[in-house]
Amino acid sequence: MLRMIHSKYGYEPPEWVQADARLDRWYKDKKRRAKQHGAFILDKNKEVQHETTSICKNQWY
């Protein structure tokens, strides 16, 4: 019988726990790098897009 390990995703085989840990580290690093470079920040893009649309409307009236 396989040995199951309790992880934050439930009971899984050891191989799956290792794979989950690698994916979590990869995703955390990706988010950290994106934050450093200012890429993929959706709130920032929404604010900029909202400001440009309001400026465009004011220019035509």
Side-chain angles (χ1 to χ4, degrees), residues 8-19:
K8 64 180 180 180
Y9 301 111
Y11 286 95
E12 300 176 324
E15 297 85 14
W16 289 22
V17 173
Q18 290 174 354

Side-chain angles (χ1 to χ4, degrees), residues 44-55:
K44 182 178 179 182
N45 291 338
K46 285 182 183 178
E47 290 175 7
V48 171
Q49 186 178 20
H50 178 68
E51 290 174 4
T52 57
T53 55
S54 64
I55 292 171

